[in-house]
Amino acid sequence: MRLLIKISVLAILQVLAIRTLADAPPRLEVGVADPSAPLTFITYGDTRFTQRDGAANAVARRALVARVASDKPAAIFIGGDLVYEGGNPEDYETYRTETAVWSQAKIPIFPALGNHEFRGCDKDLSPCLVNWWKAAVPSEVRSFRWYSVTLGPKILVLLLDSDSSLKPGSEQRTWFEQQITHAGSQMEFVFVVLHYPPVRDPIFPRAKDEKEIARYLSKHTHSLHARVVVVSSHIHNYERFRRDDVTYLVSGGGGAKPVPVLRLFGELSKLGTAENFHYIRFRLEGGDLQGTMVRFDPERNAETAWTEPDRFEVKARDSLSPRKNGETK
């Protein structure tokens, strides 16, 4: 009898484990043909695909899409506000039409949820989520609001939902902590992509729980094997910060109406331009991750419209070498 009870308990635990795994947000994989070769990928947000007048600068948005395609990235990560109105299927049709060059090149696209994904669904979010699941994310993500992606053998990307709780004990926060702490020693970089910026120009008010991510990373990043880079949007501009060994980027220049920032309080790019339509190109080569802000000026001619005014690097921990003064970069 005891043996039967033990077998029954074991069977129940196995069923629960399978069910939990099935209900967990998916981890997608982007393979690379040669793991030792340089790897390029793109991040940015606030593209606001729509036909609505005044909601975005369509000229800048389309120029950025074409330029991104010319970089031939292994993947594109979008930090929310992919469309202007998530309740309007026509906005997603505009997204599909204007990014046809990405589809033709078979570039994987991984968006995070932003506040505009829920625009038009004030009383019931379901129609907006269904539109996003059907038109924007890979089929494996459908029914989930956050998920992860491995980009080659060295990069893990966590795509979060800023409009769901990120407080300790919440479902998303528990998942986030598990992904971070169990990333594995082979992962040299962990990217966190979300809409609301955890670190940004303080003149802009906090949106929800995004600062919880910065608090967690400040406490734990020094014990992690991987370097952490956080990319957000929502503020329609570009900013770069470094806090407690974490690189924080605001990349909201995908086409939405530009919003000036002060560039005080430790902002590192020190750009002199108020309006910054742009995306961020990352290139991983060996243990060096190079970041480049690629800026488009719609007021300039084709020869001078494109510049790269901010560049930075993030080194894998294993590639660090001691400096003369005993510190490491």
Side-chain angles (χ1 to χ4, degrees):
M1 179 62 70
R2 289 182 178 177
L3 179 59
L4 290 175
I5 292 174
K6 288 182 179 180
I7 292 175
S8 298
V9 171
L10 180 60
I12 292 172
L13 290 174
Q14 289 175 334
V15 170
L16 290 174
I18 292 172
R19 183 176 299 171
T20 300
L21 183 61
D23 292 341
R27 173 170 291 189
L28 310 179
E29 296 183 3
V30 177
V32 295
D34 182 1
S36 63
L39 175 67
T40 298
F41 59 100
I42 303 297
T43 66
Y44 74 133
D46 292 287
T47 48
R48 286 195 183 182
F49 288 95
T50 187
Q51 294 296 324
R52 187 184 303 241
D53 292 336
N57 186 317
V59 171
R61 183 179 65 217
R62 293 166 186 159
L64 290 167
V65 166
R67 189 77 169 198
V68 164
S70 71
D71 280 337
K72 299 180 179 180
I76 300 168
F77 299 91
I78 298 177
D81 285 9
L82 178 71
V83 295
Y84 178 74
E85 185 175 347
N88 186 357
E90 294 182 2
D91 282 5
Y92 283 104
E93 184 59 35
T94 299
Y95 158 65
R96 285 192 293 264
T97 300
E98 291 193 12
T99 61
V101 64
W102 294 353
S103 301
Q104 293 164 4
K106 298 181 179 180
I107 304 171
I109 307 161
F110 303 105
L113 283 165
N115 57 297
H116 274 264
E117 272 72 15
F118 299 110
R119 189 180 181 91
C121 299
D122 296 336
K123 296 182 179 179
D124 180 10
L125 300 182
S126 299
C128 282
L129 284 169
V130 168
N131 289 340
W132 186 70
W133 286 327
K134 286 184 176 180
V137 296
S139 59
E140 299 92 332
V141 178
R142 294 174 187 175
S143 80
F144 296 99
R145 294 174 63 161
W146 53 87
Y147 60 104
S148 62
V149 178
T150 56
L151 183 55
K154 298 180 180 180
I155 299 174
L156 172 65
V157 184
L158 307 180
L159 294 109
L160 306 183
D161 173 19
S162 296
D163 283 277
S164 293
S165 178
L166 287 163
K167 293 179 180 178
S170 67
E171 183 181 0
Q172 183 174 202
R173 174 62 174 270
T174 300
W175 175 85
F176 170 78
E177 292 184 15
Q178 290 173 344
Q179 297 293 311
I180 287 281
T181 56
H182 297 95
S185 60
Q186 78 280 8
M187 293 297 172
E188 295 183 352
F189 300 93
V190 172
F191 273 72
V192 181
V193 177
L194 75 168
H195 189 60
Y196 300 138
V199 176
R200 61 182 171 188
D201 190 323
I203 67 170
F204 297 103
R206 182 171 64 88
K208 198 173 181 182
D209 298 337
E210 66 273 14
K211 283 193 174 180
E212 293 290 344
I213 295 300
R215 290 191 184 101
Y216 175 84
L217 293 175
S218 292
K219 292 180 180 178
H220 297 281
T221 185
H222 293 288
S223 64
L224 300 176
H225 171 76
R227 289 287 187 186
V228 180
V229 179
V230 179
V231 186
S232 55
S233 49
H234 192 58
I235 306 302
H236 305 161
N237 213 308
Y238 173 83
E239 295 178 89
R240 177 166 60 88
F241 300 88
R242 190 167 181 83
R243 296 282 192 278
D244 299 313
D245 207 31
V246 177
T247 298
Y248 289 91
L249 299 157
V250 177
S251 182
K257 184 179 179 180
V259 175
V261 295
L262 293 179
R263 303 204 180 281
L264 304 174
F265 312 101
E267 201 278 328
L268 298 174
S269 75
K270 302 299 182 184
L271 294 182
T273 47
E275 299 184 356
N276 294 289
F277 294 110
H278 74 279
Y279 64 87
I280 304 176
R281 180 178 63 234
F282 288 97
R283 179 181 172 87
L284 177 63
E285 188 167 5
D288 292 340
L289 182 67
Q290 303 290 333
T292 302
M293 184 266 214
V294 182
R295 182 180 182 273
F296 174 71
D297 189 340
E299 302 301 322
R300 291 178 173 268
N301 59 43
E303 294 182 357
T304 61
W306 294 98
T307 55
E308 298 180 355
D310 189 43
R311 299 184 182 187
F312 58 95
E313 68 174 16
V314 183
K315 287 184 174 291
R317 295 190 189 277
D318 291 344
S319 69
L320 295 175
S321 57
R323 290 180 177 178
K324 291 181 180 180
N325 61 3
E327 298 179 353
T328 57
K329 188 173 183 179

